[in-house]
Amino acid sequence: MAEAADTPTDKASETKFKRVMLKISGEALMGPQGFGLHPPTVERVAREVKSVHDLGVEICMVIGGGNIFRGLSGSAQGMERTTADYMGMLATVMNALAMQSALESLGVFTRVISAIPMDQVCEPYIRRRAVRHLEKKRVCIFAAGTGNPYFTTDTAATLRANEMACQAIFKGTKVDGVYDKDPVKHADAKRYDTVTFDEVLAQHLGVMDASAIALARDNNLPIIVFSLDEPGGFRGILAGQGTYTTVVG
């Protein structure tokens, strides 16, 4: 599949952001299954990404690995933590390859970039090369976390978003924003339109882990929490519509 020549687009000028990081959990790719990858769900998410890519927005992605293996869970069951975390990193590579396949089947050129070198299946992480991919309008999926144990994919997403000079992190979840308590369990749960990083940390609101929130706060990188299950939600927010919560300084 030959890539088209670089062509400037005017559509990006219609959106609020020009380059963004999309962070989703591995569980988001399970669909109705209790484990693994659900191809129709992977394709649905890929179509959401394509709809934003078609606007001319440059997209980075980080996908968790909890649908295959979660390091913290393995550690809790007696496995040595470092080994468990590395296994979790490998799970994120599997998810990234699946998303790459789905995106390229839709005509979106994609690169999987791993923090752990595995040249036969994906590229090693080189920042300047990754930036060039984005400039050429390729979706970059950053896999294997930060390449270090004890760091989550939330932290990896925030780190890569800063390195790639993204203007915001979009955190796709099962609910349409940040609530003061679980809206699934509590009918009176209150959704925030805007919340500060310090409030997220102080109230343990569970947007991302504390390391990721602190890194985003220190670099003034907003986090937009929205529902990945709402069709067109990702594109709608970039067009200034939809329901979501913005986490800012």
Side-chain angles (χ1 to χ4, degrees):
M1 184 164 62
E3 295 194 40
D6 294 347
T7 54
T9 177
D10 293 328
K11 290 183 180 178
S13 62
E14 300 171 7
T15 65
K16 189 174 180 181
F17 302 106
K18 305 297 184 288
R19 181 180 294 174
V20 301
M21 166 65 73
L22 174 61
K23 168 62 171 72
I24 62 176
S25 67
E27 287 90 344
L29 304 182
M30 288 193 307
Q33 304 171 160
F35 177 82
L37 289 158
H38 183 241
T41 300
V42 176
E43 182 182 353
R44 179 181 64 78
V45 175
R47 289 189 181 280
E48 292 282 327
V49 173
K50 181 182 185 299
S51 71
V52 171
H53 183 266
D54 288 346
L55 294 174
V57 178
E58 297 169 4
I59 302 173
C60 304
M61 291 184 71
V62 168
I63 307 171
N67 57 319
I68 299 171
F69 188 87
R70 185 178 291 280
L72 205 57
S73 172
S75 176
Q77 295 176 36
M79 186 178 292
E80 196 269 324
R81 172 66 188 269
T82 302
T83 299
D85 279 356
Y86 278 121
M87 291 173 67
M89 290 178 215
L90 296 179
T92 70
V93 177
M94 295 170 69
N95 284 338
L97 291 172
M99 183 58 64
Q100 179 187 42
S101 177
L103 284 167
E104 295 209 324
S105 72
L106 298 173
V108 179
F109 295 102
T110 308
R111 297 292 184 270
V112 173
I113 302 171
S114 172
I116 300 175
M118 46 187 83
D119 297 344
Q120 285 79 2
V121 295
C122 53
E123 293 184 10
Y125 176 68
I126 300 171
R127 190 187 71 85
R128 290 173 66 90
R129 181 187 292 177
V131 169
R132 185 59 179 149
H133 286 321
L134 291 171
E135 291 171 348
K136 286 180 173 286
K137 305 303 178 185
R138 298 163 182 156
V139 172
C140 288
I141 307 177
F142 296 101
T146 65
N148 301 289
Y150 294 92
F151 289 92
T152 67
T153 52
D154 281 345
T155 302
T158 310
L159 173 64
R160 297 294 183 238
N162 280 302
E163 289 181 296
M164 294 297 107
C166 292
Q167 295 169 297
I169 298 174
F170 281 73
K171 175 74 184 286
T173 68
K174 292 186 178 297
V175 293
D176 59 356
V178 179
Y179 287 78
D180 59 349
K181 49 192 169 185
D182 189 342
V184 176
K185 298 177 181 176
H186 303 277
D188 62 340
K190 171 192 170 187
R191 186 182 63 80
Y192 299 100
D193 287 328
T194 306
V195 64
T196 68
F197 293 113
D198 288 338
E199 287 170 339
V200 168
L201 291 171
Q203 298 177 39
H204 305 285
L205 294 177
V207 176
M208 287 180 162
D209 66 75
S211 298
I213 293 294
L215 184 59
R217 178 191 61 190
D218 292 348
N219 291 277
N220 295 316
L221 182 65
I223 301 170
I224 296 170
V225 183
F226 71 105
S227 173
L228 197 64
D229 293 335
E230 182 182 339
F234 187 22
R235 180 185 174 108
I237 293 168
L238 281 155
Q241 305 165 354
T243 304
Y244 56 91
T245 297
T246 305
V247 185
V248 292

